[in-house]
Structure formats: structure tokens, C-alpha cells
Amino acid sequence: MTKDAGTFIYLSEDGESWPKKPLVGLPLDLAWLQVGDVLQVKDLRPSFFMGTLSPVRLVEIQIEILIHSGKWGQIRRNVLAVPAETDDEYINAVQEGINHA
């Protein structure tokens, strides 16, 4: 998916185990992510849930360095997230911030 770096976000339903496939792969290294951060994930796939904004909290980050022949390598940041427990007021405030960005 990426040339030299990527961030792959996995969504755990039980809060502990890593799913086999990521929810999303991003073609860049989001090095600023930290455990405890809350991200907003917006589903844009055509379906009943299209446009749904879902907060997720990061619970674990694993960094992989992939080494290829010729000293070529890649960085892969794997991020485990769980659905965040937030109230409607928080979600509305975040949505307003996104709309003003």
C-alpha cells in the first residue's frame, strides 16, 4: 500500500486482541500518535452507516521496520484502537472542530 511508511489502524471489539485485518491503512507514518489519544473515524463507504462519526481510543502502538534487499526498508506503525466511551456533548464539540477546520 505504501512506498516507505504507513500507519495501519486496527479496531478491537474486545479491547485486547488485534484483528487479522486493519480497519484502514494510511500511506504515511502518523508518528505523533500516542496511546490514549482519541481519534474520530468517519465511515465514507456507501452503506447504511455512511457518514457516521465514531470516536476510537488508542490502546497500543507497535512499530515494525521491514527490511528489503539492497538496504531498502519501510516503517509500519500498527495502532490498536477500541471504541471510545464519550458523551454526545464531546462528540458534538469534536464535530464542530472538524467542520471549522
Side-chain angles (χ1 to χ4, degrees), residues 12-80:
S12 175
E13 295 300 327
D14 65 12
E16 297 177 9
S17 60
W18 288 77
K20 289 184 180 182
K21 294 183 179 181
L23 173 67
V24 65
L26 304 170
L28 64 154
D29 179 20
L30 299 180
W32 50 267
L33 292 177
Q34 296 181 1
V35 170
D37 285 351
V38 175
L39 304 177
Q40 301 299 319
V41 177
K42 190 170 191 175
D43 192 340
L44 297 178
R45 297 171 291 184
S47 70
F48 179 72
F49 296 105
M50 185 173 183
T52 301
L53 188 65
S54 303
V56 297
R57 183 174 41 85
L58 308 184
V59 294
E60 188 175 343
I61 297 174
Q62 296 178 353
I63 307 300
E64 290 181 74
I65 305 296
L66 310 175
I67 300 172
H68 303 283
S69 59
K71 297 187 180 182
W72 170 254
Q74 296 171 297
I75 185 167
R76 179 179 172 125
R77 185 175 303 274
N78 297 312
V79 178
L80 183 62

